[in-house]
Amino acid sequence: MTKPASNQSSDQWKASRHKMVENQLRFRGIKDPRVLDAMDRIPREDFVSPEQKQFAYNDCALPIDCSQTISQPYTVAFMCEAAQLTGEENVLEVGTGSGYGAAVLSLLAREVHTIERIPELVKQASERLTRLEYSNVHVYSSDGTLGVPEAAPFDAIIVTAGAETLPEPYVEQLREGGRIIIPIGSEFMGQTMCRYTMINGKLSQEDLGAFAFVPLIGEYGWSR
Ligand code: SAM
């Protein structure tokens, strides 16, 4: 008899995860071997509620508490690849959510600072990341549009919620040669993923394609 998805053995989860890497990521053009390996190692099923576990490796975002989402696996991999990480970087992630993206980044960078505006999600993600022993991840509870000045400068800033414009604090907290990956556009109608690179003290912008994110809410984001 087949086990219910939520009750799978670790080998079965591993097989589902590997299938996701091959069919959703490699197939769609994710090439960075470190990103593919990290996505193959982080157990997405541990970052969702018991009711959502059966969908952990589906090709979609999933609901988490407080009306927020854990991003689609492809989106997480796409943003990590766009950040061009080698393992030496000090990284800021804005929008901790479930903590899944931070866990993936923990395998790709030296230090990961992740900030979330909803205290309940901060509590859940901190507990989860501590329990799963991601020791190079530091979780902050505050408005992430202000960045994390005390942990700057950053080699990469990855923003997992959609903004109307690039928040100025990110520019101030980015190191020379650093990258900001951020969806910019409408609050509810989708955004363009942008990569800003600091070259000789100036930002150069590239558009990387269309995505849809929950809004970035805060002093330099959308108001509530
Ligand atoms: N990276 C997350 C994960 O792996 O589960 C997914 C993040 S979810 C798509 C976007 C998150 O950004 C939400 O949890 C939301 O509360 C958060 N957010 C929105 N505005 C924010 C802000 N100003 N500062 C920090 N977090 C913010």
Side-chain angles (χ1 to χ4, degrees):
M1 202 171 75
T2 314
K3 285 183 190 178
S6 56
N7 199 19
Q8 289 191 42
S9 69
S10 66
D11 278 353
Q12 287 170 311
W13 284 123
K14 208 170 157 187
S16 304
R17 187 155 58 243
H18 194 64
K19 208 166 141 192
M20 174 274 286
V21 168
E22 294 304 316
N23 297 352
Q24 298 174 34
L25 308 186
R26 203 190 295 275
F27 179 74
R28 285 213 195 99
I30 302 294
K31 290 191 179 65
D32 184 333
R34 297 182 67 248
V35 172
L36 292 167
D37 178 63
M39 296 293 293
D40 214 351
R41 286 167 58 192
I42 301 296
R44 194 169 188 252
E45 69 276 13
D46 287 348
F47 291 81
V48 295
S49 65
E51 302 75 45
Q52 294 296 329
K53 272 189 196 296
Q54 60 187 312
F55 309 120
Y57 294 104
N58 284 14
D59 189 12
C60 57
L62 294 174
I64 58 174
D65 284 353
C66 310
S67 307
Q68 299 303 317
T69 56
I70 175 173
S71 300
Q72 179 188 21
Y74 175 73
T75 304
V76 177
F78 185 94
M79 295 182 89
C80 289
E81 184 168 75
Q84 301 169 324
L85 303 172
T86 64
E88 297 302 315
E89 296 82 4
N90 187 39
V91 173
L92 171 64
E93 181 199 40
V94 179
T96 311
S98 66
Y100 175 71
V104 173
L105 285 167
S106 79
L107 300 184
L108 297 171
R110 177 173 48 80
E111 297 294 330
V112 179
H113 304 271
T114 180
I115 183 163
E116 171 59 55
R117 64 179 280 274
I118 302 177
E120 178 57 27
L121 294 180
V122 173
K123 184 169 174 283
Q124 291 178 12
S126 301
E127 284 170 6
R128 194 174 271 146
L129 290 162
T130 302
R131 177 166 43 82
L132 297 171
E133 299 181 352
Y134 296 104
S135 56
N136 60 341
V137 179
H138 315 280
V139 185
Y140 302 79
S141 179
S142 195
D143 173 7
T145 67
L146 301 171
V148 180
E150 64 270 34
F154 299 106
D155 301 287
I157 299 176
I158 296 180
V159 186
T160 70
E164 186 176 18
T165 55
L166 178 64
E168 188 56 31
Y170 301 163
V171 182
E172 289 157 10
Q173 294 172 30
L174 190 67
R175 199 190 287 280
E176 173 64 26
R179 284 82 55 201
I180 303 171
I181 314 300
I182 181 169
I184 293 197
S186 144
E187 186 173 4
F188 300 112
M189 303 286 286
Q191 303 89 24
T192 299
M193 189 72 77
C194 298
R195 174 168 55 204
Y196 294 92
T197 308
M198 185 70 81
I199 304 170
N200 297 328
K202 288 200 176 134
L203 281 185
S204 117
Q205 185 192 339
E206 296 160 88
D207 292 350
L208 305 180
F211 285 82
F213 280 83
V214 295
L216 180 74
I217 295 166
E219 190 171 329
Y220 290 84
W222 299 99
S223 55
R224 271 290 178 277

